[in-house]
Amino acid sequence: MIHNERLVRACRRQEVDRAPVWMMRQAGRYLAEYRDIRARIPFLELCKTPELAARVSLQPYEILGVDAVILFSDILIPAQAMGMDLTLSEKGPQLGDPVREMDRVKKLRIPDPSDSTPFVLDTIRILRGELHDEVPLIGFAGAPFTLATYMIEGGTSRNFAEVKRLMHREPKTMHALLAKIAEATIPYLNSQIEAGVHVIQLFDTWAGELSPGNYCEFALPYQQQVFQSLHRGPEGLGVPAILYVNECAAILEMMAESGANVLSIDWRINLDDARLRIGDKLALQGNLDPGALLGTVESISGQAEEMLRRGGDIGYVANLGHGILPMTPVENARAFVETVKKGIKEAA
Ligand code: CP3
């Protein structure tokens, strides 16, 4: 049993005394304690050094008192395990020899997680040991479409031109790539569950870039395949699954068909409107604009309170609508977490 069960209970739409709160990308450069460690070790090495990866995973819990810890890693780690050359510089992540044709897809490996990413599993085991079941541990992976964007573009993209070129000229190659990533993602997430994570989040960050029709063809079926194949245990008792898509307002109803228990949404749609559209079967997570944390403590509390009101009492996890920005002052992140923990007065 986990001592602070709020996150798992909210994901299952069970009653809680207040909304649980954590932040996407909560371990990272806005924390001086993270920057201290990063000054000594490159990012990818940090991901692959379990003692240090566990240390930075715990920082936001120790410093801000969030209600959950997320494994410190990156969605691109499995791309490297599939055989791609991954580097991270100031320009962001870079993947060598991008995947743009069938022969290149065929060369990608389906790795065994215990051989290719044992450090992820060791980090989870260390975290479970150090957490003493105080708060839940979240595991994650990139969804096939979002991972494919990095593998095709070779890095972060503004307009996804190479992705669109492949999708519309060679849809068979695109589907072969997506199927291969799904095939690798399933054992990767199952290995995390077996190692001890309590909740899974699938990041399909860039799927909101697709038209609804293209989302239906290139993103949704692979999300479904992943969620269906996870060893999550019995419904209502097992490991809940969260699906995150940035800029998701146009595709909410389709996301609700993914098999996730929780939809993690961005700030361009209000939580209560999202709730009306997807009904009461799923929980919601989100959705403060990370840019709002660049405001004042007062402006942050005000906006967080409005978010809580729209989120409601049942089936709601307080979070940001995307990852926290590196230039966020720590006291502002703290103001966000504290406002959620205080909750909203009934009379307000
Ligand atoms: O949430 C957490 O605290 C856990 C760790 C985590 C990281 N990346 C650490 C990281 C998680 C869950 C991710 C997910 C991730 N990575 C996503 C999906 C969520 C999102 O934000 O959209 C994506 C698209 C990536 C890919 C990625 N990794 C990019 C584009 C970058 C460079 C941009 C940046 O923020 O620097 C990374 C690097 C990265 N991943 C950092 C961290 C803490 C910064 C590395 C550093 O210390 O210099």
Side-chain angles (χ1 to χ4, degrees), residues 25-27 29 34 38 43 73-75 150 203 205 322:
R25 295 283 200 106
Q26 64 187 13
R29 287 162 294 182
Y34 174 85
R38 273 284 281 109
F43 175 69
S73 184
D74 195 82
I75 64 162
Y150 287 94
F203 285 93
T205 307
H322 198 179

Side-chain angles (χ1 to χ4, degrees), residues 221-237:
Y222 300 97
Q223 296 163 357
Q224 288 171 331
Q225 192 192 338
V226 171
F227 286 133
Q228 270 164 19
S229 311
L230 296 185
H231 304 153
R232 281 154 62 189
E235 195 64 42
L237 287 171

Side-chain angles (χ1 to χ4, degrees), residues 34 38 41-48 72-74 77 88:
Y34 174 85
R38 273 284 281 109
I41 182 166
F43 175 69
L44 290 174
E45 230 177 289
L46 174 54
C47 293
K48 294 177 186 183
F72 188 82
S73 184
D74 195 82
I77 291 285
L88 195 99

